[in-house]
Amino acid sequence: MTFDQLISQPALQNAQAQLSLPASWGQGRTVFGGLSAALMLQSMLHQLTEQDRRLLSFSCNFVGPLLSEEPFELSTQLLRSGKNATQMQTTITQNDQVCLVALACFGKPRTSAITVPAEDTCTLTKLNAKQTLPYIDGVMPAFIQHIDLNLQQGALPFSSASSSNIGGWMKFKAPAEPNLSVLHLLALADAWPPTLLQLCKGPTPASSMSWYIEFLDDIALPGDEWFAMEAVTHQAEHGYAIEDAKLFSQDGKLLALSRQTVAVFDS
């Protein structure tokens, strides 16, 4: 199933849903975190009754593994809906264990005299198809078969590189229908490996623990466009790392800011 097919499942229209996900969207022993996050956000969007509000921020804690090919429960709760903002929470449980918890804030545009434009610019060069990574079954996470990654900055995981930054272009192989949305960007923002894996000398497990991402505007782009990501390791010590990322549209507009806490098991 494509990403669009998965996030379009009728069950997600309900605040309580039971789902399962195919192994082709796996990431090691768990489901690709970007897909799990997108499913939670889609559930929230279905429960958002105020259509004049856009996603401002999304926060997710990866509490435990979400296994593919096994049923799980998704539950969305409206925490508060005020005059200008709506706060929601979604939890995914499997086998009576909490796997993921997400919080999202949606805001209504308001009149304000304060305007501070984003000055961040994308430093990636134009796309070069030769730099798109081929999918290698059994070597790469299964979900990569659905995504094109075009590496420009940094190095591949487990290459004993000296750089702890990574950057490149990304898109789904199957074009979005009818347009790319915040759901697609949220999922793709988690598609790249953790920045510090390129420092490792050999295969090393790593796991995202918490993720916070802020969106600067609504997203409605042609379904076959690429997004750009530039990520840096903010700090790493004692088996944990904090990485920051900026996400851009293909024409260089800053779309979102991301921060993740990652655990690495290199000893």
Side-chain angles (χ1 to χ4, degrees):
M1 296 177 72
T2 67
F3 176 79
D4 279 29
Q5 290 172 333
L6 290 170
I7 62 173
S8 299
Q9 297 178 83
L12 290 169
Q13 298 177 20
N14 304 316
Q16 311 287 330
Q18 186 173 79
L19 303 165
S20 65
L21 296 170
S24 65
W25 284 93
Q27 185 177 15
R29 63 173 179 157
T30 189
V31 172
F32 166 45
L35 173 59
S36 303
L39 291 174
M40 291 191 288
L41 176 57
Q42 179 69 296
S43 176
M44 293 177 182
L45 291 171
H46 280 306
Q47 304 308 312
L48 184 66
T49 57
E50 297 85 356
Q51 298 303 312
D52 60 347
R53 302 182 182 191
R54 71 167 183 87
L55 181 63
L56 299 177
S57 64
F58 183 91
S59 160
C60 182
N61 274 38
F62 298 91
V63 181
L66 176 64
L67 306 179
S68 62
E69 305 289 348
E70 291 192 21
F72 62 87
E73 292 72 42
L74 184 151
S75 175
T76 293
Q77 178 184 6
L78 173 64
L79 301 178
R80 184 180 187 275
S81 187
K83 182 179 179 181
N84 297 302
T86 299
Q87 308 269 359
M88 305 183 82
Q89 175 179 298
T90 299
T91 302
I92 289 180
T93 57
Q94 188 176 63
N95 299 322
D96 297 322
Q97 299 292 319
V98 175
C99 300
L100 296 96
V101 179
L103 292 168
C105 178
F106 302 85
K108 174 183 177 180
R110 296 181 295 108
T111 301
S112 174
I114 299 173
T115 300
V116 181
E119 296 183 353
D120 298 273
T121 57
C122 182
T123 64
L124 300 183
T125 58
K126 290 185 178 181
L127 278 161
N128 180 352
K130 294 181 180 180
Q131 292 175 298
T132 300
L133 302 176
Y135 173 67
I136 304 175
D137 187 29
V139 175
M140 295 178 170
F143 78 90
I144 296 294
Q145 64 188 285
H146 302 285
I147 295 173
D148 283 328
L149 297 177
N150 194 283
L151 182 67
Q152 285 200 1
Q153 301 171 356
L156 294 174
F158 322 129
S159 58
S160 191
S162 58
S163 170
S164 62
N165 302 338
I166 195 168
W169 297 93
M170 54 193 180
K171 72 174 180 66
F172 286 104
K173 291 183 183 293
E177 297 180 3
N179 296 305
L180 290 167
S181 69
V182 67
L183 291 160
H184 298 88
L185 179 58
L186 177 66
L188 287 171
D190 194 45
W192 290 94
T195 54
L196 71 171
L197 282 188
Q198 61 192 301
L199 302 175
C200 299
K201 298 179 181 179
T204 303
S207 176
S208 294
M209 301 183 68
S210 63
W211 182 23
Y212 181 69
I213 181 167
E214 297 171 310
F215 296 89
L216 279 64
D217 205 347
D218 279 327
I219 297 169
L221 297 169
D224 58 351
E225 281 206 11
W226 295 72
F227 292 115
M229 188 204 71
E230 298 181 42
V232 300
T233 303
H234 189 74
Q235 185 263 359
E237 192 175 22
H238 304 307
Y240 301 96
I242 298 172
E243 57 181 65
D244 294 330
K246 298 174 183 177
L247 301 152
F248 299 88
S249 62
Q250 192 167 328
D251 63 3
K253 180 182 179 182
L254 181 65
L255 300 176
L257 300 169
S258 170
R259 171 169 286 194
Q260 288 201 47
T261 300
V262 178
V264 61
F265 304 92
D266 60 330
S267 63

